[in-house]
Amino acid sequence: MYVLTADQRGSRTGRDLVPDILADGSPSGLLRPFERTAGDEVQAVFDSPAGLALVAIDLASSGDWSVGIGIGDIETPLPPSTRAGRGAAFIDARTAVEDAKRNRWHLCIVGESSWCASAQTAARLLLDVLTDRTDAGHEAVSLVAQGLTQSAAATRLGISPQAMSLRLQHARWDIEPSARALFTDLLTVANIGVDA
C-alpha cells in the first residue's frame, strides 16, 4: 500500500494551496482521498502506483510541495478518514516528507523494500528533467503531448520546425514517458517487497 504525505513549502508567505488539492478530483488508484492532516499538509492512500506516481511528480515538480511516500502495510480495515489510518506506510510517509524538506528534489520514498531507493532515484531523475525545463520547453512538450505534430506545434508557437525540434530536444521530452513508466514500475516492485 502507498501513503503520500505532502507539506506545502513556504506556506507562511504564500496562499494556502491545500484547497486546490482537495478539489482536484480523484486520481487513479486513490483508495482514500486527500485530507488536510495538519496546517498546510495533506495525505492520501493509494492502492496502485500509476496515479500515485503522477500526483507525486506533479506536486514535487511544482516547487510548492515537499512529498513523502511511504510504502508498506496499513492496518485494515482502513477507516473512512485518511488521517485516521495507521500502519507502517503512514509512519514511513511521515519520515519521508520530513526528509523531503531537506533535499533539492523535495521528494523521498521510505519503506522496507530495498527497491524503495531505486524508485526514489527514478523519481528524482524525472524531477531533474522536469524542473530543468524552460517555460518554452514546457509549452512545446505540452503541445506535442496534446497530440499535435511537431510541425503543427511549431506553427502554433510561431517558430520554425527546426526551432521546435531544438526546444523539444533541450526539454528532453523523449525520455519523460519512459522515465515515468520506470518510476511507476519501481513503485510496484517496492510495494510487492521483492528484494534483490
Side-chain angles (χ1 to χ4, degrees), residues 32 58 90 134 153 162 179:
R32 289 293 181 270
D58 286 350
F90 285 94
T134 63
Q162 294 82 1

Side-chain angles (χ1 to χ4, degrees), residues 118-136:
S118 298
Q120 179 176 273
T121 299
R124 288 176 173 181
L125 290 171
L126 178 56
L127 285 168
D128 276 347
V129 168
L130 297 175
T131 58
D132 198 35
R133 278 186 188 157
T134 63
D135 290 341

